[in-house]
PDB file of all heavy atoms in Angstrom:
ATOM      1  N   PRO I   1       4.681  -6.928  14.213  1.00 85.00           N
ATOM      2  CA  PRO I   1       4.285  -5.906  13.271  1.00 85.00           C
ATOM      3  C   PRO I   1       4.171  -4.561  14.109  1.00 85.00           C
ATOM      4  O   PRO I   1       3.731  -4.535  15.310  1.00 85.00           O
ATOM      5  CB  PRO I   1       2.942  -6.234  12.790  1.00 85.00           C
ATOM      6  CG  PRO I   1       2.479  -7.279  13.895  1.00 85.00           C
ATOM      7  CD  PRO I   1       3.686  -7.974  14.320  1.00 85.00           C
ATOM      8  N   LEU I   2       4.437  -3.452  13.397  1.00 89.00           N
ATOM      9  CA  LEU I   2       4.408  -2.076  14.037  1.00 89.00           C
ATOM     10  C   LEU I   2       2.912  -1.712  14.188  1.00 89.00           C
ATOM     11  O   LEU I   2       2.163  -2.163  13.415  1.00 89.00           O
ATOM     12  CB  LEU I   2       5.210  -1.179  13.213  1.00 89.00           C
ATOM     13  CG  LEU I   2       6.679  -1.443  12.983  1.00 89.00           C
ATOM     14  CD1 LEU I   2       7.301  -0.504  11.957  1.00 89.00           C
ATOM     15  CD2 LEU I   2       7.436  -1.315  14.340  1.00 89.00           C
ATOM     16  N   PRO I   3       2.759  -0.880  15.205  1.00 91.00           N
ATOM     17  CA  PRO I   3       1.280  -0.341  15.329  1.00 91.00           C
ATOM     18  C   PRO I   3       0.824   0.537  14.202  1.00 91.00           C
ATOM     19  O   PRO I   3       1.523   1.470  13.842  1.00 91.00           O
ATOM     20  CB  PRO I   3       1.306   0.278  16.644  1.00 91.00           C
ATOM     21  CG  PRO I   3       2.712   0.778  16.849  1.00 91.00           C
ATOM     22  CD  PRO I   3       3.595  -0.328  16.217  1.00 91.00           C
ATOM     23  N   LEU I   4      -0.285   0.210  13.562  1.00 95.00           N
ATOM     24  CA  LEU I   4      -0.662   0.979  12.352  1.00 95.00           C
ATOM     25  C   LEU I   4      -1.901   1.626  12.439  1.00 95.00           C
ATOM     26  O   LEU I   4      -2.243   2.525  11.796  1.00 95.00           O
ATOM     27  CB  LEU I   4      -0.765   0.002  11.003  1.00 95.00           C
ATOM     28  CG  LEU I   4       0.526  -0.739  10.702  1.00 95.00           C
ATOM     29  CD1 LEU I   4       0.324  -1.545   9.504  1.00 95.00           C
ATOM     30  CD2 LEU I   4       1.671   0.278  10.292  1.00 95.00           C
ATOM     31  N   GLY I   5      -2.822   1.201  13.557  1.00 95.00           N
ATOM     32  CA  GLY I   5      -4.162   1.831  13.497  1.00 95.00           C
ATOM     33  C   GLY I   5      -5.091   1.115  12.524  1.00 95.00           C
ATOM     34  O   GLY I   5      -4.905   0.041  12.115  1.00 95.00           O
ATOM     35  N   ARG I   6      -6.109   1.794  12.176  1.00 96.00           N
ATOM     36  CA  ARG I   6      -7.143   1.225  11.214  1.00 96.00           C
ATOM     37  C   ARG I   6      -6.847   1.554   9.763  1.00 96.00           C
ATOM     38  O   ARG I   6      -6.968   0.698   8.869  1.00 96.00           O
ATOM     39  CB  ARG I   6      -8.466   1.763  11.681  1.00 96.00           C
ATOM     40  CG  ARG I   6      -8.999   1.237  13.013  1.00 96.00           C
ATOM     41  CD  ARG I   6     -10.461   1.697  13.184  1.00 96.00           C
ATOM     42  NE  ARG I   6     -11.408   1.122  12.252  1.00 96.00           N
ATOM     43  CZ  ARG I   6     -12.567   1.538  11.960  1.00 96.00           C
ATOM     44  NH1 ARG I   6     -13.107   2.650  12.705  1.00 96.00           N
ATOM     45  NH2 ARG I   6     -13.334   1.005  11.031  1.00 96.00           N
ATOM     46  N   HIS I   7      -6.487   2.861   9.427  1.00 97.00           N
ATOM     47  CA  HIS I   7      -6.457   3.240   8.095  1.00 97.00           C
ATOM     48  C   HIS I   7      -5.042   3.553   7.816  1.00 97.00           C
ATOM     49  O   HIS I   7      -4.398   4.315   8.509  1.00 97.00           O
ATOM     50  CB  HIS I   7      -7.190   4.594   7.923  1.00 97.00           C
ATOM     51  CG  HIS I   7      -8.607   4.504   8.432  1.00 97.00           C
ATOM     52  ND1 HIS I   7      -9.565   3.747   7.837  1.00 97.00           N
ATOM     53  CD2 HIS I   7      -9.211   5.058   9.461  1.00 97.00           C
ATOM     54  CE1 HIS I   7     -10.687   3.754   8.443  1.00 97.00           C
ATOM     55  NE2 HIS I   7     -10.531   4.609   9.517  1.00 97.00           N
ATOM     56  N   VAL I   8      -4.394   2.852   6.708  1.00 97.00           N
ATOM     57  CA  VAL I   8      -3.014   2.947   6.402  1.00 97.00           C
ATOM     58  C   VAL I   8      -2.892   3.321   4.871  1.00 97.00           C
ATOM     59  O   VAL I   8      -3.575   2.828   4.109  1.00 97.00           O
ATOM     60  CB  VAL I   8      -2.370   1.557   6.634  1.00 97.00           C
ATOM     61  CG1 VAL I   8      -0.890   1.636   6.277  1.00 97.00           C
ATOM     62  CG2 VAL I   8      -2.652   0.969   8.068  1.00 97.00           C
ATOM     63  N   ALA I   9      -1.834   4.274   4.696  1.00 97.00           N
ATOM     64  CA  ALA I   9      -1.558   4.642   3.349  1.00 97.00           C
ATOM     65  C   ALA I   9      -0.135   4.105   2.980  1.00 97.00           C
ATOM     66  O   ALA I   9       0.780   4.075   3.915  1.00 97.00           O
ATOM     67  CB  ALA I   9      -1.609   6.108   3.239  1.00 97.00           C
ATOM     68  N   VAL I  10       0.031   3.615   1.768  1.00 97.00           N
ATOM     69  CA  VAL I  10       1.400   3.231   1.307  1.00 97.00           C
ATOM     70  C   VAL I  10       1.765   4.061   0.182  1.00 97.00           C
ATOM     71  O   VAL I  10       1.048   4.299  -0.821  1.00 97.00           O
ATOM     72  CB  VAL I  10       1.323   1.762   0.899  1.00 97.00           C
ATOM     73  CG1 VAL I  10       2.750   1.398   0.320  1.00 97.00           C
ATOM     74  CG2 VAL I  10       1.052   0.875   2.004  1.00 97.00           C
ATOM     75  N   ILE I  11       2.905   4.699   0.215  1.00 97.00           N
ATOM     76  CA  ILE I  11       3.287   5.587  -0.882  1.00 97.00           C
ATOM     77  C   ILE I  11       4.256   5.021  -1.766  1.00 97.00           C
ATOM     78  O   ILE I  11       5.320   4.411  -1.320  1.00 97.00           O
ATOM     79  CB  ILE I  11       3.996   6.850  -0.217  1.00 97.00           C
ATOM     80  CG1 ILE I  11       3.143   7.484   0.846  1.00 97.00           C
ATOM     81  CG2 ILE I  11       4.262   7.967  -1.331  1.00 97.00           C
ATOM     82  CD1 ILE I  11       1.740   7.926   0.483  1.00 97.00           C
ATOM     83  N   GLY I  12       3.968   4.867  -3.062  1.00 94.00           N
ATOM     84  CA  GLY I  12       4.790   4.143  -3.969  1.00 94.00           C
ATOM     85  C   GLY I  12       3.977   3.146  -4.724  1.00 94.00           C
ATOM     86  O   GLY I  12       2.838   2.792  -4.267  1.00 94.00           O
ATOM     87  N   ALA I  13       4.559   2.542  -5.829  1.00 93.00           N
ATOM     88  CA  ALA I  13       3.832   1.533  -6.607  1.00 93.00           C
ATOM     89  C   ALA I  13       4.700   0.561  -7.162  1.00 93.00           C
ATOM     90  O   ALA I  13       4.472  -0.093  -8.302  1.00 93.00           O
ATOM     91  CB  ALA I  13       3.016   2.314  -7.740  1.00 93.00           C
ATOM     92  N   GLY I  14       5.788   0.317  -6.476  1.00 90.00           N
ATOM     93  CA  GLY I  14       6.702  -0.822  -6.929  1.00 90.00           C
ATOM     94  C   GLY I  14       6.344  -2.137  -6.197  1.00 90.00           C
ATOM     95  O   GLY I  14       5.303  -2.253  -5.517  1.00 90.00           O
ATOM     96  N   ASN I  15       7.211  -3.143  -6.463  1.00 91.00           N
ATOM     97  CA  ASN I  15       6.904  -4.416  -5.792  1.00 91.00           C
ATOM     98  C   ASN I  15       6.917  -4.339  -4.329  1.00 91.00           C
ATOM     99  O   ASN I  15       6.099  -5.043  -3.661  1.00 91.00           O
ATOM    100  CB  ASN I  15       7.981  -5.477  -6.337  1.00 91.00           C
ATOM    101  CG  ASN I  15       7.715  -5.858  -7.787  1.00 91.00           C
ATOM    102  OD1 ASN I  15       6.640  -5.676  -8.338  1.00 91.00           O
ATOM    103  ND2 ASN I  15       8.757  -6.197  -8.540  1.00 91.00           N
ATOM    104  N   THR I  16       7.981  -3.573  -3.795  1.00 92.00           N
ATOM    105  CA  THR I  16       8.061  -3.336  -2.329  1.00 92.00           C
ATOM    106  C   THR I  16       6.734  -2.747  -1.851  1.00 92.00           C
ATOM    107  O   THR I  16       6.209  -3.103  -0.715  1.00 92.00           O
ATOM    108  CB  THR I  16       9.163  -2.525  -2.058  1.00 92.00           C
ATOM    109  OG1 THR I  16      10.368  -3.123  -2.435  1.00 92.00           O
ATOM    110  CG2 THR I  16       9.314  -2.270  -0.456  1.00 92.00           C
ATOM    111  N   ALA I  17       6.113  -1.848  -2.481  1.00 95.00           N
ATOM    112  CA  ALA I  17       4.924  -1.197  -2.071  1.00 95.00           C
ATOM    113  C   ALA I  17       3.751  -2.219  -2.020  1.00 95.00           C
ATOM    114  O   ALA I  17       3.028  -2.082  -1.043  1.00 95.00           O
ATOM    115  CB  ALA I  17       4.507  -0.020  -2.962  1.00 95.00           C
ATOM    116  N   MET I  18       3.745  -3.139  -3.017  1.00 96.00           N
ATOM    117  CA  MET I  18       2.739  -4.160  -3.030  1.00 96.00           C
ATOM    118  C   MET I  18       2.838  -5.132  -1.752  1.00 96.00           C
ATOM    119  O   MET I  18       1.926  -5.450  -1.189  1.00 96.00           O
ATOM    120  CB  MET I  18       2.758  -4.899  -4.304  1.00 96.00           C
ATOM    121  CG  MET I  18       2.580  -4.144  -5.563  1.00 96.00           C
ATOM    122  SD  MET I  18       0.916  -3.155  -5.704  1.00 96.00           S
ATOM    123  CE  MET I  18       1.668  -1.478  -5.491  1.00 96.00           C
ATOM    124  N   ASP I  19       4.184  -5.339  -1.448  1.00 96.00           N
ATOM    125  CA  ASP I  19       4.389  -6.201  -0.359  1.00 96.00           C
ATOM    126  C   ASP I  19       3.936  -5.506   0.930  1.00 96.00           C
ATOM    127  O   ASP I  19       3.311  -6.144   1.823  1.00 96.00           O
ATOM    128  CB  ASP I  19       5.974  -6.512  -0.279  1.00 96.00           C
ATOM    129  CG  ASP I  19       6.336  -7.470  -1.331  1.00 96.00           C
ATOM    130  OD1 ASP I  19       5.567  -8.123  -2.009  1.00 96.00           O
ATOM    131  OD2 ASP I  19       7.569  -7.578  -1.537  1.00 96.00           O
ATOM    132  N   CYS I  20       4.285  -4.282   0.999  1.00 96.00           N
ATOM    133  CA  CYS I  20       3.877  -3.542   2.260  1.00 96.00           C
ATOM    134  C   CYS I  20       2.358  -3.502   2.337  1.00 96.00           C
ATOM    135  O   CYS I  20       1.761  -3.648   3.406  1.00 96.00           O
ATOM    136  CB  CYS I  20       4.466  -2.057   2.158  1.00 96.00           C
ATOM    137  SG  CYS I  20       6.266  -1.940   2.361  1.00 96.00           S
ATOM    138  N   ALA I  21       1.568  -3.179   1.269  1.00 97.00           N
ATOM    139  CA  ALA I  21       0.170  -3.073   1.226  1.00 97.00           C
ATOM    140  C   ALA I  21      -0.438  -4.323   1.736  1.00 97.00           C
ATOM    141  O   ALA I  21      -1.385  -4.286   2.556  1.00 97.00           O
ATOM    142  CB  ALA I  21      -0.340  -2.559   0.061  1.00 97.00           C
ATOM    143  N   ARG I  22       0.014  -5.532   1.127  1.00 97.00           N
ATOM    144  CA  ARG I  22      -0.577  -6.791   1.329  1.00 97.00           C
ATOM    145  C   ARG I  22      -0.377  -7.275   2.849  1.00 97.00           C
ATOM    146  O   ARG I  22      -1.127  -7.801   3.473  1.00 97.00           O
ATOM    147  CB  ARG I  22      -0.159  -7.802   0.392  1.00 97.00           C
ATOM    148  CG  ARG I  22      -0.643  -7.461  -1.047  1.00 97.00           C
ATOM    149  CD  ARG I  22       0.021  -8.501  -2.002  1.00 97.00           C
ATOM    150  NE  ARG I  22      -0.675  -9.769  -1.753  1.00 97.00           N
ATOM    151  CZ  ARG I  22      -0.150 -10.919  -2.299  1.00 97.00           C
ATOM    152  NH1 ARG I  22       0.997 -10.911  -2.982  1.00 97.00           N
ATOM    153  NH2 ARG I  22      -0.754 -12.089  -2.049  1.00 97.00           N
ATOM    154  N   ALA I  23       0.911  -6.876   3.306  1.00 96.00           N
ATOM    155  CA  ALA I  23       1.229  -7.205   4.674  1.00 96.00           C
ATOM    156  C   ALA I  23       0.430  -6.407   5.635  1.00 96.00           C
ATOM    157  O   ALA I  23       0.043  -6.974   6.769  1.00 96.00           O
ATOM    158  CB  ALA I  23       2.726  -7.114   4.862  1.00 96.00           C
ATOM    159  N   ALA I  24       0.328  -5.129   5.352  1.00 97.00           N
ATOM    160  CA  ALA I  24      -0.371  -4.261   6.266  1.00 97.00           C
ATOM    161  C   ALA I  24      -1.761  -4.694   6.549  1.00 97.00           C
ATOM    162  O   ALA I  24      -2.400  -4.473   7.613  1.00 97.00           O
ATOM    163  CB  ALA I  24      -0.361  -2.782   5.754  1.00 97.00           C
ATOM    164  N   LEU I  25      -2.455  -5.254   5.434  1.00 96.00           N
ATOM    165  CA  LEU I  25      -3.816  -5.758   5.621  1.00 96.00           C
ATOM    166  C   LEU I  25      -3.945  -6.889   6.655  1.00 96.00           C
ATOM    167  O   LEU I  25      -4.916  -7.126   7.164  1.00 96.00           O
ATOM    168  CB  LEU I  25      -4.332  -6.195   4.289  1.00 96.00           C
ATOM    169  CG  LEU I  25      -4.849  -5.143   3.346  1.00 96.00           C
ATOM    170  CD1 LEU I  25      -5.300  -5.806   1.958  1.00 96.00           C
ATOM    171  CD2 LEU I  25      -6.118  -4.490   3.985  1.00 96.00           C
ATOM    172  N   LYS I  26      -2.707  -7.549   6.894  1.00 95.00           N
ATOM    173  CA  LYS I  26      -2.821  -8.634   7.882  1.00 95.00           C
ATOM    174  C   LYS I  26      -2.557  -8.318   9.343  1.00 95.00           C
ATOM    175  O   LYS I  26      -2.408  -9.137  10.154  1.00 95.00           O
ATOM    176  CB  LYS I  26      -1.780  -9.770   7.332  1.00 95.00           C
ATOM    177  CG  LYS I  26      -2.200 -10.265   5.979  1.00 95.00           C
ATOM    178  CD  LYS I  26      -1.142 -11.259   5.417  1.00 95.00           C
ATOM    179  CE  LYS I  26      -1.395 -11.798   4.031  1.00 95.00           C
ATOM    180  NZ  LYS I  26      -0.296 -12.703   3.570  1.00 95.00           N
ATOM    181  N   VAL I  27      -2.089  -6.981   9.450  1.00 96.00           N
ATOM    182  CA  VAL I  27      -1.841  -6.596  10.856  1.00 96.00           C
ATOM    183  C   VAL I  27      -3.086  -6.443  11.593  1.00 96.00           C
ATOM    184  O   VAL I  27      -4.110  -5.769  11.139  1.00 96.00           O
ATOM    185  CB  VAL I  27      -0.961  -5.228  10.729  1.00 96.00           C
ATOM    186  CG1 VAL I  27      -0.847  -4.592  12.099  1.00 96.00           C
ATOM    187  CG2 VAL I  27       0.288  -5.420  10.044  1.00 96.00           C
ATOM    188  N   PRO I  28      -3.199  -6.936  12.856  1.00 94.00           N
ATOM    189  CA  PRO I  28      -4.350  -6.837  13.669  1.00 94.00           C
ATOM    190  C   PRO I  28      -4.898  -5.333  13.737  1.00 94.00           C
ATOM    191  O   PRO I  28      -3.950  -4.457  14.038  1.00 94.00           O
ATOM    192  CB  PRO I  28      -3.953  -7.349  14.984  1.00 94.00           C
ATOM    193  CG  PRO I  28      -2.834  -8.361  14.625  1.00 94.00           C
ATOM    194  CD  PRO I  28      -2.101  -7.696  13.433  1.00 94.00           C
ATOM    195  N   GLY I  29      -6.062  -5.083  13.658  1.00 95.00           N
ATOM    196  CA  GLY I  29      -6.627  -3.692  13.752  1.00 95.00           C
ATOM    197  C   GLY I  29      -6.772  -2.984  12.433  1.00 95.00           C
ATOM    198  O   GLY I  29      -7.518  -1.925  12.459  1.00 95.00           O
ATOM    199  N   VAL I  30      -6.002  -3.399  11.425  1.00 96.00           N
ATOM    200  CA  VAL I  30      -6.067  -2.519  10.183  1.00 96.00           C
ATOM    201  C   VAL I  30      -7.402  -2.943   9.418  1.00 96.00           C
ATOM    202  O   VAL I  30      -7.676  -4.165   9.177  1.00 96.00           O
ATOM    203  CB  VAL I  30      -4.821  -2.948   9.375  1.00 96.00           C
ATOM    204  CG1 VAL I  30      -5.004  -2.286   7.969  1.00 96.00           C
ATOM    205  CG2 VAL I  30      -3.694  -2.407  10.015  1.00 96.00           C
ATOM    206  N   SER I  31      -8.129  -1.998   8.981  1.00 96.00           N
ATOM    207  CA  SER I  31      -9.478  -2.217   8.213  1.00 96.00           C
ATOM    208  C   SER I  31      -9.154  -1.999   6.736  1.00 96.00           C
ATOM    209  O   SER I  31      -9.911  -2.567   5.997  1.00 96.00           O
ATOM    210  CB  SER I  31     -10.492  -1.320   8.876  1.00 96.00           C
ATOM    211  OG  SER I  31     -10.270   0.084   8.620  1.00 96.00           O
ATOM    212  N   ASP I  32      -8.324  -0.922   6.424  1.00 97.00           N
ATOM    213  CA  ASP I  32      -8.242  -0.808   4.918  1.00 97.00           C
ATOM    214  C   ASP I  32      -6.832  -0.122   4.695  1.00 97.00           C
ATOM    215  O   ASP I  32      -6.170   0.554   5.572  1.00 97.00           O
ATOM    216  CB  ASP I  32      -9.229   0.193   4.402  1.00 97.00           C
ATOM    217  CG  ASP I  32      -9.297   1.517   5.224  1.00 97.00           C
ATOM    218  OD1 ASP I  32      -8.363   2.365   4.947  1.00 97.00           O
ATOM    219  OD2 ASP I  32     -10.084   1.724   6.121  1.00 97.00           O
ATOM    220  N   VAL I  33      -6.248  -0.468   3.592  1.00 97.00           N
ATOM    221  CA  VAL I  33      -4.955  -0.030   3.046  1.00 97.00           C
ATOM    222  C   VAL I  33      -5.158   0.633   1.713  1.00 97.00           C
ATOM    223  O   VAL I  33      -5.773   0.118   0.818  1.00 97.00           O
ATOM    224  CB  VAL I  33      -3.892  -1.192   2.983  1.00 97.00           C
ATOM    225  CG1 VAL I  33      -2.591  -0.662   2.416  1.00 97.00           C
ATOM    226  CG2 VAL I  33      -3.682  -1.746   4.385  1.00 97.00           C
ATOM    227  N   THR I  34      -4.510   1.865   1.498  1.00 97.00           N
ATOM    228  CA  THR I  34      -4.650   2.522   0.223  1.00 97.00           C
ATOM    229  C   THR I  34      -3.233   2.822  -0.312  1.00 97.00           C
ATOM    230  O   THR I  34      -2.437   3.402   0.447  1.00 97.00           O
ATOM    231  CB  THR I  34      -5.365   3.936   0.431  1.00 97.00           C
ATOM    232  OG1 THR I  34      -6.748   3.624   1.044  1.00 97.00           O
ATOM    233  CG2 THR I  34      -5.581   4.563  -0.916  1.00 97.00           C
ATOM    234  N   VAL I  35      -2.997   2.404  -1.469  1.00 97.00           N
ATOM    235  CA  VAL I  35      -1.726   2.755  -2.182  1.00 97.00           C
ATOM    236  C   VAL I  35      -1.918   4.099  -2.872  1.00 97.00           C
ATOM    237  O   VAL I  35      -2.917   4.183  -3.648  1.00 97.00           O
ATOM    238  CB  VAL I  35      -1.398   1.638  -3.104  1.00 97.00           C
ATOM    239  CG1 VAL I  35      -0.112   2.039  -4.114  1.00 97.00           C
ATOM    240  CG2 VAL I  35      -1.045   0.422  -2.457  1.00 97.00           C
ATOM    241  N   ILE I  36      -0.963   4.991  -2.765  1.00 97.00           N
ATOM    242  CA  ILE I  36      -1.016   6.366  -3.316  1.00 97.00           C
ATOM    243  C   ILE I  36       0.139   6.554  -4.342  1.00 97.00           C
ATOM    244  O   ILE I  36       1.285   6.330  -3.994  1.00 97.00           O
ATOM    245  CB  ILE I  36      -0.986   7.466  -2.203  1.00 97.00           C
ATOM    246  CG1 ILE I  36      -2.154   7.320  -1.283  1.00 97.00           C
ATOM    247  CG2 ILE I  36      -0.984   8.893  -2.882  1.00 97.00           C
ATOM    248  CD1 ILE I  36      -2.159   8.275  -0.073  1.00 97.00           C
ATOM    249  N   TYR I  37      -0.230   6.775  -5.555  1.00 96.00           N
ATOM    250  CA  TYR I  37       0.832   6.768  -6.583  1.00 96.00           C
ATOM    251  C   TYR I  37       0.614   8.018  -7.517  1.00 96.00           C
ATOM    252  O   TYR I  37      -0.592   8.258  -7.939  1.00 96.00           O
ATOM    253  CB  TYR I  37       0.773   5.493  -7.443  1.00 96.00           C
ATOM    254  CG  TYR I  37       1.755   5.469  -8.435  1.00 96.00           C
ATOM    255  CD1 TYR I  37       3.146   5.679  -8.198  1.00 96.00           C
ATOM    256  CD2 TYR I  37       1.390   4.969  -9.844  1.00 96.00           C
ATOM    257  CE1 TYR I  37       4.014   5.679  -9.297  1.00 96.00           C
ATOM    258  CE2 TYR I  37       2.299   4.791 -10.763  1.00 96.00           C
ATOM    259  CZ  TYR I  37       3.695   5.190 -10.477  1.00 96.00           C
ATOM    260  OH  TYR I  37       4.614   5.036 -11.475  1.00 96.00           O
ATOM    261  N   ARG I  38       1.664   8.738  -7.816  1.00 94.00           N
ATOM    262  CA  ARG I  38       1.478  10.003  -8.548  1.00 94.00           C
ATOM    263  C   ARG I  38       1.332   9.795  -9.965  1.00 94.00           C
ATOM    264  O   ARG I  38       1.021  10.796 -10.642  1.00 94.00           O
ATOM    265  CB  ARG I  38       2.703  10.824  -8.306  1.00 94.00           C
ATOM    266  CG  ARG I  38       4.040  10.144  -8.678  1.00 94.00           C
ATOM    267  CD  ARG I  38       5.228  11.025  -8.516  1.00 94.00           C
ATOM    268  NE  ARG I  38       6.425  10.408  -8.953  1.00 94.00           N
ATOM    269  CZ  ARG I  38       7.521  11.213  -9.155  1.00 94.00           C
ATOM    270  NH1 ARG I  38       7.618  12.365  -8.962  1.00 94.00           N
ATOM    271  NH2 ARG I  38       8.733  10.513  -9.577  1.00 94.00           N
ATOM    272  N   ARG I  39       1.525   8.548 -10.535  1.00 92.00           N
ATOM    273  CA  ARG I  39       1.250   8.320 -11.844  1.00 92.00           C
ATOM    274  C   ARG I  39      -0.066   7.416 -12.101  1.00 92.00           C
ATOM    275  O   ARG I  39      -0.726   7.129 -11.060  1.00 92.00           O
ATOM    276  CB  ARG I  39       2.413   7.686 -12.587  1.00 92.00           C
ATOM    277  CG  ARG I  39       3.527   8.607 -12.813  1.00 92.00           C
ATOM    278  CD  ARG I  39       4.722   7.819 -13.632  1.00 92.00           C
ATOM    279  NE  ARG I  39       5.837   8.677 -14.010  1.00 92.00           N
ATOM    280  CZ  ARG I  39       6.970   8.928 -13.490  1.00 92.00           C
ATOM    281  NH1 ARG I  39       7.119   8.308 -12.253  1.00 92.00           N
ATOM    282  NH2 ARG I  39       7.930   9.723 -13.969  1.00 92.00           N
ATOM    283  N   SER I  40      -0.363   6.941 -13.289  1.00 92.00           N
ATOM    284  CA  SER I  40      -1.436   6.139 -13.489  1.00 92.00           C
ATOM    285  C   SER I  40      -1.099   4.640 -13.359  1.00 92.00           C
ATOM    286  O   SER I  40       0.087   4.343 -13.205  1.00 92.00           O
ATOM    287  CB  SER I  40      -2.108   6.356 -14.883  1.00 92.00           C
ATOM    288  OG  SER I  40      -1.095   5.903 -15.878  1.00 92.00           O
ATOM    289  N   GLU I  41      -2.108   3.824 -13.417  1.00 92.00           N
ATOM    290  CA  GLU I  41      -1.881   2.315 -13.358  1.00 92.00           C
ATOM    291  C   GLU I  41      -0.905   1.918 -14.442  1.00 92.00           C
ATOM    292  O   GLU I  41      -0.030   1.010 -14.222  1.00 92.00           O
ATOM    293  CB  GLU I  41      -3.193   1.708 -13.467  1.00 92.00           C
ATOM    294  CG  GLU I  41      -3.105   0.139 -13.400  1.00 92.00           C
ATOM    295  CD  GLU I  41      -4.377  -0.518 -13.765  1.00 92.00           C
ATOM    296  OE1 GLU I  41      -5.512   0.030 -13.503  1.00 92.00           O
ATOM    297  OE2 GLU I  41      -4.377  -1.659 -14.281  1.00 92.00           O
ATOM    298  N   LYS I  42      -0.963   2.486 -15.655  1.00 88.00           N
ATOM    299  CA  LYS I  42      -0.211   2.119 -16.710  1.00 88.00           C
ATOM    300  C   LYS I  42       1.366   2.256 -16.454  1.00 88.00           C
ATOM    301  O   LYS I  42       2.183   1.508 -16.995  1.00 88.00           O
ATOM    302  CB  LYS I  42      -0.576   2.780 -17.956  1.00 88.00           C
ATOM    303  CG  LYS I  42       0.178   2.399 -19.255  1.00 88.00           C
ATOM    304  CD  LYS I  42      -0.275   3.277 -20.438  1.00 88.00           C
ATOM    305  CE  LYS I  42       0.540   2.766 -21.686  1.00 88.00           C
ATOM    306  NZ  LYS I  42       0.069   3.610 -22.783  1.00 88.00           N
ATOM    307  N   GLU I  43       1.632   3.360 -15.704  1.00 87.00           N
ATOM    308  CA  GLU I  43       3.192   3.655 -15.391  1.00 87.00           C
ATOM    309  C   GLU I  43       3.698   2.951 -14.246  1.00 87.00           C
ATOM    310  O   GLU I  43       4.791   3.051 -13.774  1.00 87.00           O
ATOM    311  CB  GLU I  43       3.287   5.160 -15.315  1.00 87.00           C
ATOM    312  CG  GLU I  43       3.294   5.920 -16.577  1.00 87.00           C
ATOM    313  CD  GLU I  43       1.793   6.056 -17.137  1.00 87.00           C
ATOM    314  OE1 GLU I  43       0.848   6.169 -16.274  1.00 87.00           O
ATOM    315  OE2 GLU I  43       1.683   6.167 -18.412  1.00 87.00           O
ATOM    316  N   MET I  44       2.806   2.079 -13.478  1.00 89.00           N
ATOM    317  CA  MET I  44       3.252   1.366 -12.241  1.00 89.00           C
ATOM    318  C   MET I  44       4.563   0.508 -12.556  1.00 89.00           C
ATOM    319  O   MET I  44       4.647  -0.227 -13.487  1.00 89.00           O
ATOM    320  CB  MET I  44       2.242   0.547 -11.669  1.00 89.00           C
ATOM    321  CG  MET I  44       1.028   1.164 -11.074  1.00 89.00           C
ATOM    322  SD  MET I  44      -0.166  -0.075 -10.408  1.00 89.00           S
ATOM    323  CE  MET I  44       0.763  -0.786  -9.176  1.00 89.00           C
ATOM    324  N   PRO I  45       5.598   0.697 -11.595  1.00 87.00           N
ATOM    325  CA  PRO I  45       6.762  -0.106 -11.864  1.00 87.00           C
ATOM    326  C   PRO I  45       6.607  -1.608 -11.374  1.00 87.00           C
ATOM    327  O   PRO I  45       7.438  -2.410 -11.616  1.00 87.00           O
ATOM    328  CB  PRO I  45       7.866   0.580 -11.019  1.00 87.00           C
ATOM    329  CG  PRO I  45       7.151   1.396 -10.002  1.00 87.00           C
ATOM    330  CD  PRO I  45       5.874   1.770 -10.692  1.00 87.00           C
ATOM    331  N   ALA I  46       5.483  -1.745 -10.439  1.00 90.00           N
ATOM    332  CA  ALA I  46       5.305  -3.101  -9.912  1.00 90.00           C
ATOM    333  C   ALA I  46       5.029  -4.095 -11.025  1.00 90.00           C
ATOM    334  O   ALA I  46       4.455  -3.698 -12.051  1.00 90.00           O
ATOM    335  CB  ALA I  46       4.190  -3.062  -8.883  1.00 90.00           C
TER     336      ALA I  46
END
């Protein structure tokens, strides 16, 4: 896994973004992951 630090942001809200966010939480040293999406939950493509 690539070095991410403690605080990670994932841009996007598709299935790939969900994969990235869940995987990032398992990287050693990461304490929180935040998905940033420009629309609302209702419009998510995931």
Side-chain angles (χ1 to χ4, degrees):
L2 301 170
L4 299 179
R6 296 185 59 195
H7 309 291
V8 181
V10 176
I11 311 302
N15 291 334
T16 301
M18 301 303 104
D19 290 342
C20 289
R22 298 178 67 197
L25 277 175
K26 299 176 182 178
V27 174
V30 172
S31 61
D32 56 80
V33 175
T34 304
V35 170
I36 298 175
Y37 181 47
R38 58 180 182 162
R39 290 184 168 95
S40 70
E41 176 185 337
K42 183 179 179 181
E43 285 76 32
M44 288 180 65

